[in-house]
Amino acid sequence: MSKSHVDANYRFIAANQEVNTRIAQRHQSLALYVTLVVSLLAALVALKPGESNSKLPIEWLVLGFPVASICLAFLNYKAERAITNLRQFLSALERLENAHYHLPSYNTDPRWAIMANKARRFQDYASAVLVIAANAIGLGAVIHIYPERIAANQFVIWISGITALISLFVLLFMPAWSYRPASEQEKLNDESAQP
């Protein structure tokens, strides 16, 4: 009997460490996004119109902004789904032998889980603000620095804008994929299904 508790504790600790790793990965993806955007802006400014670089494909460089934005959205989605899966596993471990009725249960008790989701929501806000600002600055810079090239290739602006809006939509609706504690009925169904 005590061996199963030890095993459950080790599994809980390992899963909890994995949750922390996924949260750190979300922060790292945000830092990577900022680095990419700053690099793209630097490249746009460095390649100002002139005799030597008039043939450079600036139109393709502009697409880097929405591509970075959609990658940020995908990475945040991946991390959120992994966190949700891990927290469901942690909740199942917290409910072993009905321990959640007499011990505080971070992943099972809605008071704790909902507050954790609300706090993590600010990561989504920060990501959304960065996506809006980065794409607006990037598109504004390219329109101002290369007006003739962009006038001749307006499809690039449309593709960039639509892709940026899609990534913004994904980031703002990230809470739809966030972990929610199981209802009491789901918990009873899970417990009755266990042998």
Side-chain angles (χ1 to χ4, degrees), residues 4 11 27 38-39 54 68-69 72-73 87 91-92 109 112 115 118 124 127 143 151 157 170-171 190-191 193:
S4 67
R11 290 174 185 180
H27 295 299
V38 170
S39 299
S54 60
S69 298
L72 174 67
R87 289 187 69 196
S91 178
D109 189 338
W112 303 107
M115 292 306 290
K118 285 182 179 179
D124 301 327
S127 298
I143 289 169
I157 298 297
V170 171
L171 290 168
D190 288 346
E191 288 165 6

Side-chain angles (χ1 to χ4, degrees), residues 83-184:
I83 290 168
T84 296
N85 187 41
L86 289 162
R87 289 187 69 196
Q88 287 171 342
F89 177 74
L90 290 168
S91 178
L93 290 174
E94 288 173 352
R95 289 181 283 145
L96 285 176
E97 298 179 5
N98 294 321
H100 61 293
Y101 290 121
H102 55 0
L103 291 172
S105 300
Y106 183 78
N107 296 290
T108 303
D109 189 338
R111 292 175 299 172
W112 303 107
I114 290 170
M115 292 306 290
N117 287 349
K118 285 182 179 179
R120 267 206 333 278
R121 181 79 170 126
F122 285 94
Q123 172 89 18
D124 301 327
Y125 291 148
S127 298
V129 168
L130 281 172
V131 163
I132 291 169
N135 282 281
I137 292 168
L139 292 176
V142 79
I143 289 169
H144 180 71
I145 297 172
Y146 307 96
E148 300 85 20
R149 299 279 297 272
I150 293 305
N153 297 293
Q154 289 187 3
F155 73 94
V156 173
I157 298 297
W158 283 103
I159 291 171
S160 296
I162 291 169
T163 307
L165 287 174
I166 290 169
S167 62
L168 180 64
F169 175 80
V170 171
L171 290 168
L172 290 176
F173 286 94
M174 197 67 64
W177 301 297
S178 292
Y179 171 76
R180 286 180 192 81
S183 68
E184 284 301 316

